[in-house]
């Protein structure tokens, strides 16, 4: 069967309705998604491990000799075969085959086999259930998996489509030959079906180039667009601006003043401004956006502030309206649930609903994108194309990006950094809580609740079935906290905690809004949630943030979560509760205790992880590379140079790139 890249995975043989449901929950909806679901690691069966070095629960390859065979039945009548095997290490092992009554004819006593699987300890025995027997050594990919979709299933699905999928080469032939890149299909084969680890390395390096090439080609396209387009001239009297700033209920930091001035200088020049505002948690980015929107309103134009969630849009609308009372700016809220009069407003605060066709407000001079990674290239273009003149753009992210990396990635943007915090922001006391200090922590929670303050408890998952084993269970899944179970435990064991509520991404928007309204009204004492609260929830009465299984989050994300408390006058606390007691994961968490600045934490993460991913989880505002490493600045700089040279030699290529729809060809780069 011939597959197109955007065909549904439903068309793949063996993918039934239930499997489709599980795959979609993993983010695999199309054949393209499936082909770009890359292995987490590989088992090199040509280099098997001796049994005395095997860790329980980790898929491995072993080479063993059959010592004896026994056919058995369970109490329920299920037949199975146990093969007692051994290797030179002397460690005993039982291979257990279910519903394979003829396996004893294949496994003759004295024969030697390479087997793949995860060894378990069961009733004092070493058991390898349902092992895969290999006729010849091979490299086996291990994929991130979840309940209902195993690594073996993913391997089978990918094998079925890789030869018949319509896969277009992204890099021009001349450049591909110059860089010695294999054709795109061959590159995917090297990653998914390597004959050797050298094949796998070649495939990964080639795919890393493709990802970086795609990203920097989008940058080149954006630069061409900016050169061709003129922006609205935003020029306001200095005295007027000074009066607005003095009317604010607080003093601006030096960083805020600098960003406002730099942005106004850009917008006054007549050139199109596209600025990235990289501000630490609590550095006052919303104030900057509000002041720039007030300046735009003074020239008779409108501003749109885009927020990633309805909760955050409501919060921004309220904050901006309060800040700009003296300036006389009218603010309207536009979300799926609330559509106020945008035509008569100076500033429209909204969600994705603003991008839809029924929103037709003209004369927009500025678009502010909060947490810009949540709005794709096409969405921003759709908003821009509705205007007679393209609006200036201020993209804001609260994820601190090391300056060196920001300057490499975002050369097409003016980049501003906000590092200082307003004078009224609290220093949050951060502590790592091992299992023997949990009672002490829970005592602090009880004190805070008794004093009328509120608490966040963060869990990595909603329910147990979501656990991604990824073929590598680092900890027992029973130890991973879930929102549902933790909320239930707290209600049962700690009635002194008051009302315990749950918040997570599966709730409907109206349910989340209603719950957050209750939280803000003080009707909830402890909110147990997933990282859905990471972005922008402002609750001045919250003084404690507990993060369960803290080592499962990246440092930048932990810093974001910590920033949800410390917004009021009271001393606030962030308690990091790791699953394990020591090792590199705990050393990494110590950076949160040591550093208050998100920029210092980002630099420390860079040091600790070396060539690995910056956070372990995709950072806000950064490209979602699967193979290219954000820490490999030398590689990124080289690919950037290759793209710049190619565009200089072929100035028409970025336009062709856009016309062919290739700017979104690599998953996650929008």
């Amino acid at each position: 069967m011939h597959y197109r890249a955007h065909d549904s995975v439903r068309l793949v043989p063996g993918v039934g309705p239930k499997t489709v449901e599980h795959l979609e929950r993993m983010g695999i909806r199309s054949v393209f998604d499936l082909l770009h679901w890359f292995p987490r690691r590989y088992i090199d069966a040509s280099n098997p491990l001796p049994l005395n070095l095997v860790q329980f629960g980790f898929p491995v390859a072993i080479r063993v000799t059959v010592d004896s065979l026994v056919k058995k039945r369970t109490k329920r009548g299920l037949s199975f075969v146990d093969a007692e095997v051994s290797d030179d290490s002397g460690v005993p092992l039982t291979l257990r085959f279910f519903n394979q009554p003829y396996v004893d004819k294949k496994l003759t006593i004295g024969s030697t086999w390479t087997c793949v699987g995860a060894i378990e300890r069961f009733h004092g025995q070493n058991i390898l259930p349902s092992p895969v027997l290999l006729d010849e050594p091979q490299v086996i990919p291990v994929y991130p998996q979840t309940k209902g979709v195993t690594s073996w299933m993913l391997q089978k699905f990918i094998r079925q489509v890789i030869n018949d999928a319509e896969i277009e080469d992204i890099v021009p032939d001349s450049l591909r030959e110059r860089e010695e890149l294999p054709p795109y299909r061959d590159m995917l084969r090297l990653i998914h079906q390597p004959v050797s680890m050298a094949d796998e390395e070649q495939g990964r390096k080639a795919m890393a180039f493709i990802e970086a090439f795609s990203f920097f080609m989008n940058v080149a396209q954006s630069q061409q667009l900016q050169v061709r387009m003129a922006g609205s001239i935003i020029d306001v009297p200095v005295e007027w601006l000074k009066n607005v700033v003095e009317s604010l209920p607080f003093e601006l930091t030096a960083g805020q003043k600098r960003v406002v001035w730099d942005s106004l200088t850009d917008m006054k020049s007549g050139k199109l401004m596209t600025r990235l505002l990289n501000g630490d948690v609590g550095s006052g980015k919303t104030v900057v956006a509000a002041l720039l929107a007030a300046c735009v309103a003074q020239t008779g134009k409108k501003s749109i502030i885009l927020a990633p969630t309805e909760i955050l849009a409501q919060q921004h609308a309220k904050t901006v309206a309060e800040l700009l009372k003296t300036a006389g700016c009218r603010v309207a809220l536009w979300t799926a649930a609330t559509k106020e009069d945008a035509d008569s407003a100076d500033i429209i605060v909204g969600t994705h609903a603003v991008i839809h066709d029924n929103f037709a407000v003209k004369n927009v001079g500025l678009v502010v994108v909060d947490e810009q990674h949540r709005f794709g290239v096409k969405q921003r273009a759709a908003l821009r194309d509705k205007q007679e003149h393209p609006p200036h753009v201020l993209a804001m992210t609260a994820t601190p990006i090391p300056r060196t990396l920001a300057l490499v990635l975002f050369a097409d943007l003016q980049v501003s950094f906000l590092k200082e915090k307003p004078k009224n922001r609290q220093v949050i006391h951060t502590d790592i809580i091992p299992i023997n200090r949990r009672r002490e922590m829970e005592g602090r929670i009880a004190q805070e609740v008794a004093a009328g303050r509120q608490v966040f408890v963060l869990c990595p998952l909603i329910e147990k079935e979501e656990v991604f084993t990824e073929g590598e269970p680092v900890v027992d899944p029973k130890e991973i906290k879930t929102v549902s179970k933790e909320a239930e435990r707290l209600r049962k064991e700690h009635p002194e905690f008051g009302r315990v509520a749950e918040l997570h991404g599966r709730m409907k928007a109206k349910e989340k809004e209603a719950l957050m309204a209750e939280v803000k009204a003080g009707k909830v004492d402890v909110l147990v949630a997933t990282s859905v609260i990471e972005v922008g929830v402002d609750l001045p009465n919250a003084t404690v943030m507990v993060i369960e299984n803290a080592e499962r989050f990246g440092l930048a994300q932990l810093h974001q979560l910590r920033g949800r408390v410390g917004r009021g006058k009271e001393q606030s606390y962030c308690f990091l509760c790791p699953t394990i007691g020591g090792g590199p994961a705990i050393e990494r968490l110590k950076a949160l205790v040591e550093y208050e600045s998100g920029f210092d934490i980002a630099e420390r993460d860079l040091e600790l992880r070396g060539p690995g991913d910056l956070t372990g989880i995709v950072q806000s505002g950064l490209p979602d590379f699967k193979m290219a490493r954000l820490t490999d600045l030398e590689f990124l700089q080289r690919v950037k140079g290759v793209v710049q040279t190619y565009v200089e030699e072929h100035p028409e290529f970025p336009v062709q790139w856009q016309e062919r729809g290739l700017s979104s060809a690599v998953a996650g780069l929008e």
Side-chain angles (χ1 to χ4, degrees), residues 37-45 57-61 116-118 139-145 149-155 158 191-194 197 200 204 469-473:
W37 187 261
F38 295 130
R40 182 74 171 179
R41 67 184 188 92
Y42 296 83
I43 299 171
D44 185 0
F58 286 75
V60 291
V116 175
V139 176
I140 299 166
V142 179
Y143 294 91
Q145 61 185 29
V149 180
T150 66
S151 178
W152 297 109
M153 290 167 69
L154 288 160
Q155 186 183 351
I158 290 167
I191 293 169
H192 290 295
Q193 300 169 339
M197 293 307 291
E200 181 270 336
R204 280 184 177 261
T469 67
E470 299 184 347
E472 309 181 333

Side-chain angles (χ1 to χ4, degrees), residues 409-423:
L409 292 179
F410 303 116
D412 61 320
L413 307 176
Q414 297 90 6
V415 182
S416 294
F417 296 89
L418 268 186
K419 297 187 178 183
E420 310 101 309
K421 300 224 179 140
K423 290 176 182 176

Side-chain angles (χ1 to χ4, degrees), residues 75-122:
K75 291 177 182 177
R76 295 183 179 180
L78 178 69
S79 67
F80 64 94
V81 175
D82 273 358
E84 304 298 331
V85 298
S86 60
D87 65 4
D88 293 338
S89 70
V91 175
L93 175 68
T94 301
L95 306 182
R96 182 158 289 170
F97 300 87
F98 294 97
N99 276 337
Q100 298 181 57
Y102 302 109
V103 76
D104 60 329
K105 291 186 170 54
K106 186 174 184 178
L107 293 181
T108 56
I109 293 172
S111 61
T112 300
W113 293 88
T114 298
C115 312
V116 175
I119 297 174
E120 299 171 0
R121 189 78 177 157
F122 186 69

Side-chain angles (χ1 to χ4, degrees), residues 537-553:
V537 174
D538 191 4
L539 191 64
N541 194 41
T543 55
V544 179
M545 169 65 73
V546 177
I547 304 175
E548 299 286 1
N549 307 112
E551 78 284 353
R552 292 175 67 89
F553 297 91

Side-chain angles (χ1 to χ4, degrees), residues 113-314:
W113 293 88
T114 298
C115 312
V116 175
I119 297 174
E120 299 171 0
R121 189 78 177 157
F122 186 69
H123 292 317
Q125 282 184 288
N126 299 329
I127 306 285
L128 176 51
S130 306
V132 175
L133 302 176
L134 302 179
D135 294 321
E136 58 184 34
Q138 56 186 275
V139 176
I140 299 166
V142 179
Y143 294 91
Q145 61 185 29
T146 190
K147 184 180 177 182
V149 180
T150 66
S151 178
W152 297 109
M153 290 167 69
L154 288 160
Q155 186 183 351
K156 174 188 165 191
F157 297 153
I158 290 167
R159 190 169 57 241
Q160 287 173 164
V161 302
I162 200 166
N163 293 322
D164 300 317
E166 190 179 282
I167 302 170
E168 186 174 9
D169 268 303
I170 293 171
V171 176
D173 290 343
S174 60
L175 188 55
R176 185 167 54 78
E177 288 166 15
R178 191 190 309 171
E179 291 294 320
E180 298 181 344
L181 300 173
Y184 203 86
R185 190 189 307 277
D186 292 348
M187 196 184 313
L188 289 171
R189 284 200 192 100
L190 288 169
I191 293 169
H192 290 295
Q193 300 169 339
V195 175
S196 67
M197 293 307 291
D199 278 359
E200 181 270 336
E201 186 179 359
Q202 183 191 356
R204 280 184 177 261
K205 282 182 176 176
M207 186 58 75
F209 183 93
I210 293 289
E211 289 179 329
F213 175 85
S214 300
F215 177 79
F216 288 119
M217 189 53 70
N218 282 339
V219 170
Q221 184 183 313
S222 173
Q223 285 173 324
Q224 280 194 349
L225 196 65
Q226 286 182 61
V227 168
R228 292 200 304 269
M229 289 184 169
S232 307
I233 296 176
I234 308 298
D235 190 8
V236 295
V238 174
E239 278 303 312
W240 175 86
L241 179 58
K242 188 178 175 184
N243 290 336
V244 172
V245 170
E246 286 177 353
S247 73
L248 296 174
F250 45 76
E251 185 183 342
L252 293 184
T253 65
Q256 288 172 316
K257 291 175 184 175
R258 186 175 58 251
V259 176
V260 170
W261 184 256
D262 289 347
S263 300
L264 286 176
T265 302
D266 289 342
M267 294 194 289
K268 185 180 176 180
S269 71
K271 293 179 183 175
L272 190 63
M273 180 188 80
T274 311
R275 180 172 291 276
L276 172 66
L277 175 53
N278 186 200
D280 202 353
V281 176
S283 59
K285 295 180 297 298
T286 307
V287 177
V288 170
L291 286 172
L292 293 177
C295 293
V296 170
Q298 273 296 103
T299 67
K301 291 189 173 292
K302 298 178 185 293
S303 294
I304 295 174
I305 299 176
L306 290 172
T309 65
E310 292 206 21
I311 293 170
L312 197 53
Q314 290 171 350

Side-chain angles (χ1 to χ4, degrees), residues 345-627:
D346 302 299
I347 301 166
I348 300 104
V349 182
T351 57
H352 285 77
V354 170
I355 297 160
H356 296 162
D357 292 337
N358 60 350
F359 182 86
V361 171
K362 301 293 183 184
N363 202 28
V364 175
L366 172 69
V367 174
V368 179
V369 186
D370 189 4
E371 297 296 340
Q372 93 279 9
H373 67 296
R374 311 231 173 175
F375 295 90
V377 174
K378 288 178 183 173
Q379 292 169 314
R380 293 201 294 275
L383 197 57
R384 183 191 65 222
D385 293 344
K386 290 181 180 180
Q387 307 305 316
E388 187 178 345
H389 298 290
H392 300 288
V393 175
L394 178 71
M396 306 195 302
T397 178
T399 301
I401 304 169
R403 188 180 187 88
T404 47
L405 178 62
L407 295 177
V408 170
L409 292 179
F410 303 116
D412 61 320
L413 307 176
Q414 297 90 6
V415 182
S416 294
F417 296 89
L418 268 186
K419 297 187 178 183
E420 310 101 309
K421 300 224 179 140
K423 290 176 182 176
N424 60 343
R425 286 306 296 264
Q426 292 281 335
V427 174
I428 302 161
H429 175 80
T430 305
D431 203 356
I432 297 171
I433 305 295
I435 192 73
N436 61 345
R437 289 186 57 208
R438 286 193 73 94
R439 187 171 293 181
E440 175 192 337
M441 177 189 76
E442 289 170 348
R444 167 60 64 184
I445 293 173
Q447 285 176 29
E448 294 296 306
V449 170
R453 295 186 276 273
Q454 292 166 290
V455 176
F456 290 125
V457 176
L458 260 290
C459 298
L461 304 172
I462 303 171
E463 296 171 352
K464 280 284 187 273
E465 66 176 39
E466 290 185 304
V467 176
F468 270 62
T469 67
E470 299 184 347
E472 309 181 333
V474 177
V475 297
D476 186 337
K478 292 179 187 140
E479 294 182 29
I480 299 171
K481 301 273 183 161
T482 68
V483 169
S484 54
K485 288 288 183 188
E486 189 61 8
E488 184 184 326
R489 183 186 76 81
L490 293 177
R491 291 187 193 108
K492 184 178 177 183
E493 296 180 14
H494 294 282
E496 73 276 17
F497 285 3
R499 184 186 169 194
V500 177
E502 302 168 37
L503 177 72
H504 54 76
R506 282 196 203 158
M507 293 168 67
K508 292 178 181 174
K510 286 185 179 177
E511 289 177 305
K512 283 191 275 192
E513 281 175 48
L515 176 58
M516 285 310 298
E518 288 189 81
V519 171
K520 288 181 179 181
K523 295 178 181 177
V524 172
D525 300 291
V526 177
L527 183 65
V528 185
T530 57
S531 56
V532 70
I533 68 161
E534 175 187 347
V535 178
V537 174
D538 191 4
L539 191 64
N541 194 41
T543 55
V544 179
M545 169 65 73
V546 177
I547 304 175
E548 299 286 1
N549 307 112
E551 78 284 353
R552 292 175 67 89
F553 297 91
L555 282 188
Q557 191 178 23
L558 288 170
H559 180 62
Q560 290 286 308
L561 293 167
R562 173 170 65 177
R564 297 306 105 216
V565 296
R567 292 171 172 252
K569 296 176 183 177
E570 304 297 333
Q571 175 61 55
S572 292
Y573 305 86
C574 177
F575 297 123
L576 306 171
C577 302
T579 321
I580 48 183
I586 303 304
E587 287 303 309
R588 196 165 60 85
L589 292 180
K590 286 179 181 175
L592 270 292
V593 178
E594 187 177 346
Y595 298 116
E596 185 188 348
S597 161
F599 290 93
D600 290 338
I601 289 167
E603 294 287 357
R604 181 68 175 138
D605 212 5
L606 205 59
E607 273 177 48
L608 287 168
R609 291 184 171 263
D613 188 41
L614 264 175
T615 61
I617 297 173
V618 175
Q619 285 203 47
S620 310
L622 295 178
D624 182 7
F625 292 149
K626 291 181 172 65
M627 296 294 186

